[in-house]
Amino acid sequence: MGCYRLVAARAATILLIVSVALLGFGCTSGRTTSQHEREPSETVIVAHRGGSLLAPENTLASFQNGIDEGADAIELDVHLSKDGQLIVMHDPSLYRTTGKEGYISDYTADEIKALDARSSYSGQLAWDEQRVPTLDEVMQLLSRQIRPVDVQIEIKVDQWGNRYEGIEQAVIAVLHRYGYIERAMIISFDFPTLLEVKELEPNLRLGALVSRAYLQSIGLKGPRVVAQSIADLDVEYVAINYAYLSPTLYSEFRSRGLGIGTWTVNNEKDIRRIAAMGVDFITSDRPDLLRQLLH
Ligand code: G3P
Ligand code: CA
């Protein structure tokens, strides 16, 4: 009898140690490790601004072209116009892509839509005049596709670096209207924006954009600190400028359960190197080249 008690006590102790160890392991990042390394052929192809080396960026033509060239997802940037419409454009200033002086926030959507969005395009193909689209118009285009295409929506800040009031809510409303919550990822360099989106719509996937500016802002710390700072945001993905994605940083992100994407990868050597690491998605101005090299 005494022997049985001793065995039972030892078994209970071992069980407790194993449970605590498992709990501790599970709690290191505070999240599940659902993201996994991908074979290059599984890498999601994201057309950056629709694929801005192939067509005028952030236009309906570029998005359709990116999809036709085999993108699994399109990436676009949004701002708010003076009358509160979601305008798809990269810069807060109208000048680079339309030639018009002034900022998006100074004009109504109708005034902006009257502009031709080809100014920044220097690629080889000739394109007709292109309007600046609203997010609603891009969603209409996505809804018409014969295969499902995901969307990465980058929420930008204004010309002063401030958040547009209500932009997160406006984006979420459009995604709901088109039944696109599950096909969308919200990305931003502005992390308070991501936290606001999470608060308003927890079902949306979020991606924290990491640039050199961010790495400098946290004091050029080592991979472990960088990875933990992103994991602490409780986002599903990190999307980092590919120049800073070392194998060590990659492992630190993965060990915290983060999905990993990189931008903007446009040449063959870099595409092959980054894809071989096992990232979830690659964002490129050449979705055609990604398709050719990876699939
Ligand atoms: O997808 C991320 C990438 O778009 C971030 O850079 O400057 O092109 O918006 P940027
Ligand atoms: Ca962007």
Side-chain angles (χ1 to χ4, degrees), residues 48-49 58 75-77 90 154 156 187 189 209:
H48 185 237
R49 309 180 199 175
N58 277 325
E75 187 267 355
L76 56 84
D77 309 279
H90 181 271
E154 184 183 341
K156 292 288 195 186
I187 57 176
F189 290 108
L209 296 177

Side-chain angles (χ1 to χ4, degrees), residues 224-285:
R224 203 178 297 175
V225 175
V226 172
Q228 192 57 46
S229 72
I230 300 301
D232 287 344
L233 296 169
D234 202 19
V235 294
E236 289 76 24
Y237 288 86
V238 58
I240 184 168
N241 179 325
Y242 76 96
Y244 305 112
L245 186 61
S246 65
T248 311
L249 185 53
Y250 177 93
S251 300
E252 294 289 348
F253 284 143
R254 281 292 188 212
S255 70
R256 288 164 177 79
L258 285 159
I260 304 171
T262 55
W263 46 272
T264 304
V265 198
N266 290 338
N267 71 67
E268 180 171 345
K269 195 167 151 231
D270 292 323
I271 290 171
R272 288 194 192 282
R273 177 175 63 83
I274 292 289
M277 291 173 98
V279 297
D280 296 290
F281 63 85
I282 296 180
T283 304
S284 175
D285 294 308

